[in-house]
Each structure stands twice: as structure tokens, then as C-alpha cells.
Amino acid sequence: MQRLSRSSRLVVMLLSCAMSAYGQSQALSARSGIPEAEATATGAIVALVENEDDYQNVLTLDGDGRVVRVNLSGISNVTDDTLAQVAAFPMLEELFISVPDIGDEGMKHLVGLSRLWRLDLEGTAVTDVGIETLRQLQSLRDISVRRCNITDESF
């Protein structure tokens, strides 16, 4: 697969947003080589971003156009259900949430992310129950739980 330039990756993200809004994620998938589920999820997440300048900060893609980093910190309207979209990124390595509406239910969506090694949950509503769910992530090496409802017993 051809490596995409930084500007091309931004175009793919913006096209994902627009095309998924019109039910065209399959067409984008065919054009970009990105699996349809990822194209749809990309569009759903980018649609949450209210400021165009923040698009590049939300999703980071590798040279093949696959999402490897997601930063949802500070984005309004992010809920546990948003993490179901994040789960569509099988190459995801880093996830930054820091949104108070994310809780234990959202952690269930992340258990299939076999490459996730960094997770920032600062200021979320995650409790010991959510941390127990995350124990299924074999690759998780770095987790931040500042300002969460976590007890020492979870670790």
C-alpha cells in the first residue's frame, strides 16, 4: 500500500467524515484501502470535532492511513458509546480520553484492541470495575488514572 502524506491523511479523515454522513463509507474504503469499518468510525469520530483545527489532533494515522492514535480529550459529546467506534481501529496503539462521561461500560469496548499499549483515562468516571475489564488487554503497559474513582486495590 502506498504511504500517504500528512495532507493526504487529513483529506482521508475529512472525506471519512463527509462520506459516512452520507452513507458512503464503502466508497471511501474502496478508494483509500482503509477497511470500511475504520472509514465509518473515522467519520463518526471526526464528526464530534467542532473546531477544524483540531482534526489533526484527534486521529493520528500511520503511513498506510490506519489509525494508531486517538485523542478524545476535551471533545464534548464523547460517551461510552463513542468507544464502540474507537474499537473499530485494530491498529490503535494509544488512546487519550479524559472525558468525564466515560465510565466502566466504555472500557468493555476496548478489550479487543490487541495493540493498545497506552491509555489515558484522566478525569473519567472509570472505577475499579473498569480497570478489571482492562486487565484483558495484554499489550497495555501505560495507563493514567489521575482524578478517577480508582482504589489502590485495582493495582
Side-chain angles (χ1 to χ4, degrees), residues 39-133:
T40 301
T42 298
I45 289 172
V46 170
L48 295 171
V49 180
E50 296 174 0
N51 182 353
E52 288 180 23
D53 294 335
D54 291 335
Y55 285 137
Q56 289 185 339
N57 297 325
V58 175
L59 299 174
T60 302
L61 298 113
D62 64 10
D64 294 326
R66 307 291 297 272
V67 175
V68 293
R69 183 176 189 267
V70 174
N71 184 352
L72 300 173
S73 300
I75 297 176
S76 59
N77 301 323
V78 173
T79 66
D80 287 333
D81 292 335
T82 305
L83 297 183
Q85 297 292 331
V86 170
F89 302 128
M91 307 303 279
L92 189 67
E93 298 175 355
E94 299 176 84
L95 176 59
F96 300 86
I97 303 173
S98 298
V99 177
D101 292 334
I102 298 293
D104 297 333
E105 286 298 310
M107 299 305 97
K108 294 176 184 177
H109 296 296
L110 305 180
V111 296
L113 296 171
S114 62
R115 294 177 178 243
L116 186 68
W117 66 270
R118 178 182 287 165
L119 180 60
D120 186 340
L121 300 172
E122 182 178 349
T124 63
V126 174
T127 68
D128 293 342
V129 173
I131 296 300
E132 185 61 34
T133 300

Side-chain angles (χ1 to χ4, degrees), residues 1-12:
M1 184 176 281
Q2 183 179 7
R3 294 176 78 65
L4 299 173
S5 69
R6 183 177 175 151
S7 60
S8 295
R9 290 187 300 232
L10 179 59
V11 169
V12 167

